[in-house]
Structure formats: C-alpha cells, structure tokens
Amino acid sequence: MFVIDSVGFWNTGAPLVVLAILAMLLPRMLVERETRSHGKVATGILLSALILFAVACGLSLLLVYLRGAHALAFGSDGRTGPPLQMHLRLAAMTAIVWVPILGLVWFGHAQGVEARRGQDIAARER
C-alpha cells in the first residue's frame, strides 16, 4: 500500500469540496429541467456519477503529481497496475461524500418529475 500524505485541507478537504459541489451541479447540467421522465433523470444521475468518479481519479493523480512523484510509476519495475489500482481505490473512497449528495439531488429531481406529471394530469381534467 502506498502512503501519499497525511490528511490535510489541500490534499483531502479541497478535493472533497470540489466533488461535493460537482455532485450538486452536474445533474443540473445533464438532466432536462422540465423532463417528465424518471428514465432521463436516472440516466443523468448515473452519467454524473461516472463523471464524478473520473474527476476523483484525476484529482488523485494530480495530488500525487504535485507531490513530485510520477502518478502511475511508483515501482522500479515500471508497472502501472498497482498505482492505478490505488488511484481507483482512492476515487472510490471519495464516494462516501458525493454519493449521498447525488442521491439527494436525484430525489429532488424525481419530486420535480412527479410534480410536473401531477400538473399535467390536473390540466387535462379541467
């Protein structure tokens, strides 16, 4: 296991804040505002999750690079497997922050879909 650094604001707090903000903003950009489809909402949320995971991997690579190490070649044998696995694992660990936020955003979008559907039904019944 590779030890990168101790926990601090710039190597832990700031990346988590960036991911939390992205978890709130990405679905707003990827899901149609007036959609009446839960499928479109789910697709937007899943795409947001993939993007967030990729951003988390990128942040992990960037933090290692900023410390002066080559982010994918820690060993003398030049294999990138173990370091890449480390970055994927670190990216997965950040999900503890952005998955609950993404879940709440999904819930909000789903409520909006149901409200618009209810308005459509009420308008048809008049």
Side-chain angles (χ1 to χ4, degrees), residues 100-119:
I101 294 170
L102 204 56
L104 291 172
V105 170
W106 189 348
F107 182 69
H109 279 282
Q111 282 184 322
V113 166
E114 288 302 318
R116 287 186 289 282
R117 285 181 175 183
Q119 291 170 351

Side-chain angles (χ1 to χ4, degrees), residues 55-90:
V55 169
C57 283
L59 286 171
S60 178
L61 287 164
L62 176 68
L63 289 171
V64 170
Y65 178 77
L66 290 175
R67 291 206 22 99
H70 189 280
L72 290 177
F74 283 119
S76 60
D77 58 0
R79 289 185 3 203
T80 59
L84 182 60
Q85 290 172 357
M86 177 195 68
H87 293 296
L88 292 173
R89 183 179 56 82
L90 290 172

